[in-house]
């Protein structure tokens, strides 16, 4: 099904998965792949959106993450945006699990990670994966504006929530002035 996005541009949904997470034996939540075609160009990019991987330092979640990486490669996904909760409790061992599985794609610049509230817990691995509060990533055919709305106050499960400041919104507005947006986000 094709949905017009703007004159001369259309988006087509390629794959839409079931909701779930690694924690309950179902595929990862919020799997979405979108192909963007631009008039006058044959360059098509495929973007996958993942959220809530909740990786744990266990063989079970490692096997699921490996299976997910294989699907990403088999489908020819050009870039993956992961919006939140790559770890279950924000532990270094969980981040290491993510690095072992997705390391080659990370090193190749094919993955953008925006931390979630679970990534701030325990060891605060979010501090190792974020590039600031607001940042722009430019990849061939992609312009990604990312915002880390988590903060150090997210260290505890019951108090973990996002926080957008006026300065963040100003930086996002300035970054979006350059391009037309397509939005992906992490919801608790």
């Amino acid at each position: 099904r094709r949905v017009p996005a703007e004159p001369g541009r259309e988006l087509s949904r390629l794959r839409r998965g079931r909701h779930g997470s690694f924690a309950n034996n179902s595929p990862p939540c919020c799997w979405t792949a979108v192909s963007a075609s631009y008039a006058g160009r044959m360059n098509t990019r495929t973007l996958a959106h993942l959220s809530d991987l909740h990786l744990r330092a266990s063989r079970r979640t490692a096997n699921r993450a490996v299976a997910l990486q294989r699907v990403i490669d088999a489908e020819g996904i050009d870039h993956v945006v992961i919006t939140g909760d790559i770890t279950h409790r924000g532990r270094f061992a969980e981040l290491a699990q993510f690095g072992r599985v997705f390391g080659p794609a990370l090193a190749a610049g094919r993955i953008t990670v925006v931390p979630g509230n679970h990534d701030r817990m325990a060891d605060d691995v979010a501090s190792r994966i974020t590039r600031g509060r607001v940042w722009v990533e430019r990849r061939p055919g992609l312009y990604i504006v990312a915002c880390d709305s988590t903060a150090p106050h997210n260290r505890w499960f019951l108090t973990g929530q996002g926080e957008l400041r006026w300065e963040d919104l100003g930086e996002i507005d300035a970054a979006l002035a350059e391009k037309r947006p397509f939005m992906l986000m992490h919801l608790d």
Side-chain angles (χ1 to χ4, degrees):
R1 178 180 152 202
R2 296 198 180 272
V3 180
E6 63 183 72
R9 180 178 173 184
E10 54 187 34
L11 300 175
S12 63
R13 189 173 307 259
L14 298 179
R15 177 181 293 279
R16 184 174 175 172
R18 295 178 3 215
H19 291 286
S21 70
F22 278 91
N24 64 8
N25 294 327
S26 58
C29 181
C30 301
W31 166 271
T32 307
V34 177
S35 174
S37 305
Y38 298 90
R41 290 193 245 170
M42 295 301 290
N43 186 10
T44 298
R45 306 287 296 163
T46 305
L47 175 71
H49 172 227
L50 303 174
S51 182
D52 296 279
L53 298 179
H54 287 275
L55 291 175
R56 296 178 179 152
S58 71
R59 180 177 292 170
R60 187 171 136 201
T61 60
N63 290 340
R64 291 188 189 127
V66 167
L68 177 59
Q69 181 58 51
R70 287 182 182 148
V71 169
I72 289 167
D73 289 341
E75 292 290 330
I77 303 297
D78 296 306
H79 196 83
V80 179
V81 178
I82 304 174
T83 57
D85 298 350
I86 63 169
T87 65
H88 189 63
R89 292 286 181 224
R91 300 188 191 289
F92 290 131
E94 296 167 343
L95 183 62
Q97 182 85 282
F98 177 77
R100 283 190 294 275
V101 174
F102 296 99
L106 284 163
R110 292 182 48 220
I111 296 180
T112 299
V113 179
V114 181
N117 59 318
H118 282 254
D119 302 317
R120 285 282 179 193
M121 297 166 67
D123 300 326
D124 190 15
V125 300
S127 63
R128 295 195 177 206
I129 59 176
T130 190
R131 295 178 50 198
R133 292 284 295 177
V134 177
W135 70 94
V136 172
E137 291 191 20
R138 290 173 177 85
R139 301 287 186 265
L142 296 172
Y143 181 83
I144 300 166
V145 178
C147 177
D148 174 10
S149 65
T150 67
H153 72 271
N154 286 108
R155 300 298 300 274
W156 309 108
F157 184 71
L158 294 176
T159 61
Q161 75 277 341
E163 174 184 63
L164 279 176
R165 302 176 307 208
W166 286 109
E167 303 87 52
D168 300 332
L169 296 174
E171 288 182 48
I172 293 167
D173 189 47
L176 291 177
E178 189 175 325
K179 302 283 182 179
R180 294 209 178 244
F182 175 79
M183 182 177 276
L184 302 170
M185 60 191 339
H186 168 75
L187 298 173
D188 292 331

